[in-house]
Amino acid sequence: MKNWRFAFSRRWFGYLAVAVVFALVCVLLSNWQLSRLEEKRVSNSRVINNYDASPVALADVLGDVDDWNDDDTWTPVEMTGSYLEDDQVLVRNRPRSGQPGFEVLTPLQLADGSVFIVDRGWLPTGNAQDLPDAVPAPPSGEVTVIARLKGGEPALPGRGAPDGQIATVELAQFAEQFDQPVYTGAYGLLDSEDPAPSDSRPYPAFKPELDEGSHLSYAFQWLVFGLLGFAFLAYAVREEYRHLNADDPAEKARAAERARKRAARRTDSDVEDDLVDASEAGAR
């Protein structure tokens, strides 16, 4: 007589609750991966729409010094002013192609007196010190700059830096440095300078790659994991049923049929392995 009453015990309901919780966690993780995918698609669309657009005046994008909209990321802007080389700083811990280095941030004072921070590019760490071997000077005098906008970075609590360096592009700290208004919503990655510097310039930023990553496949994987939890639960119930009903004639017949099918699937190599194992066991 079939006996499934054990599956309605408190123990198995507990296992079912664990499987449900595991499935819910997998669904949440799947949704998180889908949200990451959507963020990546939005980021890619900003590159497609903005990166190669024609430059516009800075004031046309940032009406106030603290304005910022993420949809303006990578928008090329044009401005004219004079670099404040004495206030130039290095952003430390900025790797590029696996090599450690620094970003060079140089304030640009515009005609109205306001200050816009320009990231002039990347320099590798020097051979003998935790500094670049040399920092190319920006053009002197009036210069017209085209740069692509990026939002400022948050402060990193507990992260310090030596004099002349900063740990993150936290634009608010520049506002404390100058008496003039400072753009604190965004800064710019240098594209071109006119006139060009007399010396070489830091390495320009790479164009962002359009890659959605593996978020979609990870989302499906988490859903599969959630289903596998129920599949494992069903397998465990079936195995316990077989164990508890091993003396039932119908179950004995099914067990014999399963054994016959397993034997039919055995290959010559399986038989040879069994003979070798038996021979080794006899020798011991």
Side-chain angles (χ1 to χ4, degrees):
M1 179 178 179
K2 294 182 179 180
N3 183 6
W4 289 99
R5 285 179 296 178
F6 72 92
F8 298 94
S9 66
R10 180 176 300 178
R11 175 168 62 93
W12 282 102
F13 275 118
Y15 294 155
L16 176 61
V18 171
V20 169
V21 171
F22 176 72
L24 290 175
V25 171
C26 289
V27 169
L28 291 175
L29 290 172
S30 176
N31 288 338
W32 175 67
Q33 288 291 344
L34 290 176
S35 66
R36 293 286 305 278
L37 174 62
E38 181 60 26
E39 291 173 1
K40 191 62 178 177
R41 287 174 173 171
V42 170
S43 177
N44 287 344
S45 70
R46 290 169 181 157
V47 175
I48 295 171
N49 295 332
N50 298 340
Y51 195 90
D52 294 318
S54 299
V56 297
L58 177 64
D60 291 346
V61 183
L62 305 178
D64 293 318
V65 293
D66 58 352
D67 281 354
W68 178 241
N69 186 326
D70 287 337
D71 289 338
D72 293 325
T73 303
W74 307 119
T75 298
V77 294
E78 184 175 351
M79 67 209 96
T80 299
S82 300
Y83 280 121
L84 304 176
E85 184 178 1
D86 292 342
D87 297 302
Q88 182 170 270
V89 296
L90 301 175
V91 190
R92 60 187 293 106
N93 297 325
R94 297 286 164 145
R96 177 186 172 107
S97 302
Q99 185 176 359
F102 301 82
E103 300 284 344
V104 182
L105 298 186
T106 311
L108 180 73
Q109 188 163 31
L110 307 179
D112 62 0
S114 61
V115 176
F116 183 82
I117 306 303
V118 178
D119 184 338
R120 299 192 63 244
W122 180 88
L123 293 173
T125 299
N127 296 319
Q129 73 287 325
D130 187 21
L131 281 172
D133 288 331
V135 180
S140 59
E142 187 175 86
V143 58
T144 298
V145 173
I146 295 177
R148 291 184 172 87
L149 295 177
K150 281 193 70 177
E153 299 175 359
L156 298 178
R159 183 78 65 85
D163 289 342
Q165 300 181 25
I166 56 177
T168 180
V169 187
E170 183 193 1
L171 298 173
Q173 58 190 317
F174 289 96
E176 301 171 357
Q177 182 178 344
F178 297 98
D179 294 331
Q180 300 87 351
V182 176
Y183 283 85
T184 55
Y187 68 107
L189 300 181
L190 179 63
D191 179 66
S192 65
E193 298 166 316
D194 185 19
S198 57
D199 197 357
S200 60
R201 57 164 283 190
Y203 293 98
F206 291 127
K207 181 177 181 178
E209 294 185 1
L210 299 177
D211 181 14
E212 292 187 353
S214 302
H215 301 299
L216 185 59
S217 63
Y218 290 156
F220 283 123
Q221 287 177 23
W222 280 118
L223 292 178
V224 171
F225 291 156
L227 293 174
L228 286 177
F230 290 108
F232 178 77
L233 181 65
Y235 171 80
V237 170
R238 187 190 65 176
E239 290 301 304
E240 182 154 337
Y241 167 82
R242 289 175 176 175
H243 174 73
L244 293 176
N245 296 274
D247 295 332
D248 182 71
E251 182 59 31
K252 285 183 178 180
R254 284 192 290 270
E257 179 63 15
R258 289 194 297 270
R260 185 190 66 79
K261 290 181 178 180
R262 284 195 297 270
R265 289 196 298 267
R266 289 169 59 82
T267 64
D268 292 341
S269 297
D270 295 328
V271 176
E272 292 175 359
D273 290 341
D274 289 345
L275 292 175
V276 171
D277 291 343
S279 175
E280 292 178 349
R284 289 196 294 268

